[in-house]
Amino acid sequence: MFFDWKVSYINAAPLGIQQKVIAINGQFPGPILNVTTNWNVVVNVHNDLDEPLLLTWAGVQQRKDSWQDGVSGTNCPIPAGWNWTYDFQVKDQIGSFFYFPSLNFQRAAGGFGGITINNRAIIPIPFGTPDGEITLLISDWYTKGHKELRNIIKDGHDLGFPNGILFNGFGPYRYDSNIVPENIQYLSVFVEPGKTYRVRVSNVGISTSLNFRIQNHNLILVETEGSYTVQQNYTDMDIHVGQSYSFLVTMDHDASSDYYIVASPRFMNSSTEASAIGVAILHYSNSQGPASGPLPVLANELDLSYSMNQAKSIRWNLTSSAARPNPQGSFRYGQIPVTDVNVIVSGPAELIDGNWHATLNGISYFTPSTPLKLAQHFNVPGVYKVDFPSRPMNRPPKVDTSLINATYKGFMEIILLNNGTTVKSFHLDGYAFFVVGMDFGMWTEDSRSSYNKEDAVARCTTQVFPGAWTAIMVSLDNSGIWNLRAENLDLWYLGQEVYLNVVNTEKDNSENPLPDNTIYCGVLSSLQRDQDRRIDFSGSQLNRLKPAALVFVPVTIFCLLLL
């Protein structure tokens, strides 16, 4: 499947104030990447921004191919005015995810879009075929531009309360004229009475946990980030930064009026929250009038325990198949011996050598000019060290490029502790991990007695509540260099990330080779040839940077004519 995307600024006013947003092919948000298990996906990205760009495919597990990951540790940025072609396979995977720009705080300006990976026809889904699908991208939003926001973060200030919450790039429906100004464009979702829809919801925002609910309608949770779940009814769901869920929603109510779809900030001061609630409209085809009255109330608005218990209630569906024709429960993760243990503590931003940084185990990640993966491939010394501490060290914090030395085909336990005051999300590229436990207080060795080793859900993003811990387990069967990061963009930007170095030293190492279209930077810049940005072989893979590739085009055509 081939996609040709131009990433550029457009003017938009999602909250009524004109600002620059990042669009893909003129769309904000970008197009949905709708593919099927095991498809090869080719995305040619033209960078028409005024600064370097990378797109990352959050949750898509490029098997043995971290070259396509689109983060600073694996790829050189696409310079402004250049294009680069991603080429990866969505191997043995299904589910709901999203993509976004990974550099320079750009996600705060947009550039994101949904990813849907469908089952192959021979693998049944564990519920009746929905009558339709709806993708909702919910996000906190600021009227300041992403460049101004990143300067605010660098200066040691908080982002503050968002100016609004968007649904698919649209501002709130005017449910209250005292709160929502006039002339705000809002999202209407059109449905047919009596039909059931699969609603895929992703929190693509930068820092705010959001609660999602639909007035008078139940949400039957069926999938999260590539795992089918035990089907349970929820009236609302907390969706933390970077997380994605699928719900079945049946349109079984009368159509006397439309219904509210709501995404509201969690764990924030309610006196200011009212000005930043996202509201879309669910419109039955036979609706008799507009939605009216108060929004559906969120119980336990500031109750962290309610949210944690909700997260613990999500279970893996052990009997359903996912990407392969065997039950998810046949992978008995609870019986696998743990080979590596990492206890990782995250705290609030702090001053280190006069600059603001965020740390994991006292180390704030320094981004070298040469990506880690390229440095490893070309044996460039001094770019990074594989000495990230497996537990917090009693020493002053520092800025460094330190990787986790992971054991290929090992089984790693990671305990994430949050010493801050806000909910944090953590994401691991290249893998799905099992969320086996979470609780308030300090983690100890005895905490393992509370782990769920039977039906914990497998996903790629998990929340860690303030003053609490979350334990995950992951089978390290995907060689490469993979990013573990805070999805909260302010903390990620300040260095709260680390990479897992998963090296396959076996003779059967089948990790994908260095791509022909690799961009070179840092100490390897001399290997780069110039790009003529006017080259455009739409629909082919020949637009992969190097004009030298043109030399082979006539030869290729001549050979084809001889066949």
Side-chain angles (χ1 to χ4, degrees):
M1 178 66 70
F2 181 86
F3 301 89
D4 196 54
W5 288 357
K6 182 176 81 169
V7 183
S8 64
Y9 295 116
I10 64 170
N11 290 319
L15 296 178
I17 298 172
Q18 283 289 325
Q19 59 187 126
K20 279 185 178 180
V21 305
I22 297 176
I24 297 178
N25 291 348
Q27 299 179 44
F28 169 69
I32 296 173
L33 198 66
N34 195 332
V35 297
T36 297
T37 303
N38 292 346
W39 280 14
N40 291 312
V41 179
V42 179
V43 186
N44 185 33
V45 175
H46 306 258
N47 179 12
D48 276 13
L49 303 180
D50 57 356
E51 56 187 8
L53 168 76
L54 282 174
L55 291 181
T56 189
W57 322 92
V60 177
Q61 301 165 28
Q62 297 96 345
R63 302 300 296 176
K64 300 180 180 179
D65 198 7
S66 55
W67 296 113
Q68 308 295 325
D69 199 22
V71 289
S72 65
T74 55
N75 298 93
C76 293
I78 307 168
W82 286 38
N83 69 288
W84 193 69
T85 303
Y86 292 88
D87 188 348
F88 56 89
Q89 185 183 30
V90 290
K91 185 173 176 59
D92 293 334
Q93 198 172 13
I94 57 94
S96 308
F97 311 95
F98 65 96
Y99 60 85
F100 62 90
S102 65
L103 302 179
N104 297 322
F105 225 78
Q106 290 164 351
R107 192 170 85 204
F112 44 70
I115 300 175
T116 295
I117 307 179
N118 303 289
N119 282 55
R120 291 177 291 162
I122 62 170
I123 309 293
I125 57 176
F127 43 84
T129 303
D131 296 297
E133 290 209 358
I134 299 164
T135 296
L136 298 176
L137 304 179
I138 57 178
S139 58
D140 52 7
W141 193 257
Y142 294 80
T143 53
K144 291 182 173 69
H146 71 284
K147 296 178 183 179
E148 185 176 356
L149 289 174
R150 72 191 185 207
N151 286 333
I152 289 172
I153 294 301
K154 282 196 294 187
D155 289 340
H157 302 295
D158 292 332
L159 288 171
F161 203 85
N163 297 112
I165 305 299
L166 306 188
F167 270 96
N168 289 2
F170 290 98
Y173 172 77
R174 201 178 191 207
Y175 67 95
D176 187 328
S177 59
N178 295 317
I179 296 173
V180 182
E182 293 183 290
N183 303 319
I184 299 288
Q185 290 188 316
Y186 61 88
L187 176 70
S188 289
V189 177
F190 294 86
V191 295
E192 295 293 330
K195 293 191 175 181
T196 297
Y197 295 80
R198 181 172 181 172
V199 183
R200 300 177 188 261
V201 189
S202 296
N203 183 341
V204 300
I206 63 173
S207 67
T208 308
S209 296
L210 299 173
N211 181 271
F212 175 79
R213 54 200 186 272
I214 303 177
Q215 184 181 26
N216 295 344
H217 289 70
N218 284 328
L219 310 172
I220 302 177
L221 180 65
V222 294
E223 177 260 334
T224 178
E225 296 164 21
S227 287
Y228 288 120
T229 64
V230 173
Q231 295 170 27
Q232 301 182 78
N233 271 307
Y234 296 88
T235 57
D236 62 86
M237 178 62 70
D238 284 348
I239 305 179
H240 304 278
V241 178
Q243 292 185 332
S244 299
Y245 290 93
S246 282
F247 307 99
L248 295 181
V249 182
T250 300
M251 307 306 158
D252 54 2
H253 284 67
D254 68 73
S256 58
S257 68
D258 294 340
Y259 295 91
Y260 295 124
I261 309 174
V262 178
S264 60
R266 288 289 266 147
F267 320 121
M268 290 186 171
N269 190 320
S270 59
S271 64
T272 55
E273 179 183 359
S275 63
I277 293 180
V279 183
I281 292 298
L282 185 71
H283 177 79
Y284 282 50
S285 62
N286 60 342
S287 174
Q288 300 301 303
S292 61
L295 300 179
V297 176
L298 172 61
N300 308 297
E301 187 174 345
L302 299 175
D303 189 349
L304 290 168
S305 297
Y306 172 86
S307 187
M308 181 181 285
N309 289 334
Q310 185 186 70
K312 289 180 177 180
S313 71
I314 300 170
R315 292 287 190 265
W316 215 23
N317 187 335
L318 300 181
T319 61
S320 70
S321 298
R324 295 184 180 185
N326 52 290
Q328 292 180 146
S330 62
F331 186 78
R332 304 183 188 279
Y333 70 91
Q335 299 177 15
I336 303 174
V338 171
T339 58
D340 306 83
V341 179
N342 283 268
V343 179
I344 300 178
V345 176
S346 65
E350 56 188 315
L351 280 171
I352 303 175
D353 296 330
N355 295 304
W356 287 95
H357 296 276
T359 64
L360 298 176
N361 282 2
I363 297 177
S364 182
Y365 178 78
F366 173 78
T367 303
S369 60
T370 307
L372 311 173
K373 187 67 179 170
L374 275 177
Q376 183 184 73
H377 180 83
F378 286 96
N379 296 314
V380 178
V383 173
Y384 63 86
K385 294 172 285 188
V386 188
D387 62 352
F388 187 85
S390 61
R391 292 177 182 262
M393 305 287 285
N394 185 21
R395 64 187 185 190
K398 64 177 181 177
V399 178
D400 204 354
T401 308
S402 177
L403 279 62
I404 293 175
N405 188 17
T407 304
Y408 179 64
K409 292 187 178 179
F411 193 63
M412 179 177 285
E413 176 186 9
I414 302 175
I415 300 96
L416 301 162
L417 293 94
N418 180 359
N419 283 350
T421 58
T422 60
V423 179
K424 297 177 183 178
S425 295
F426 283 89
H427 175 91
L428 177 60
D429 284 349
Y431 291 97
F433 51 69
F434 298 95
V435 185
V436 295
M438 62 177 65
D439 205 350
F440 294 104
M442 289 299 297
W443 179 89
T444 68
E445 301 288 337
D446 293 337
S447 300
R448 292 192 176 101
S449 63
S450 67
Y451 284 5
N452 177 358
K453 292 191 174 183
E454 182 179 357
D455 61 354
V457 71
R459 60 188 310 167
C460 57
T461 309
T462 188
Q463 68 273 47
V464 189
F465 293 95
W469 57 268
T470 296
I472 63 176
M473 291 182 170
V474 58
S475 179
L476 300 173
D477 60 350
N478 192 12
S479 54
I481 292 180
W482 301 104
N483 187 226
L484 173 64
R485 61 177 178 266
E487 275 290 81
N488 308 70
L489 197 56
D490 50 348
L491 297 171
W492 185 10
Y493 186 70
L494 291 178
Q496 207 162 84
E497 64 177 317
V498 65
Y499 285 81
L500 274 66
N501 186 37
V502 187
V503 178
N504 180 2
T505 58
E506 300 175 3
K507 292 182 180 180
D508 65 344
N509 188 349
S510 57
E511 186 175 352
N512 286 358
L514 178 75
D516 294 338
N517 63 336
T518 295
I519 300 177
Y520 296 95
C521 55
V523 299
L524 299 171
S525 296
S526 61
L527 300 178
Q528 183 63 51
R529 285 171 280 181
D530 291 336
Q531 179 184 52
D532 184 345
R533 69 189 302 266
R534 295 168 296 177
I535 300 170
D536 184 14
F537 298 95
S538 296
S540 78
Q541 297 184 46
L542 294 176
N543 51 350
R544 288 186 165 196
L545 276 186
K546 302 173 186 175
L550 284 171
V551 175
F552 299 103
V553 174
V555 177
T556 304
I557 295 173
F558 178 75
C559 292
L560 289 172
L561 291 173
L562 292 178
L563 294 177

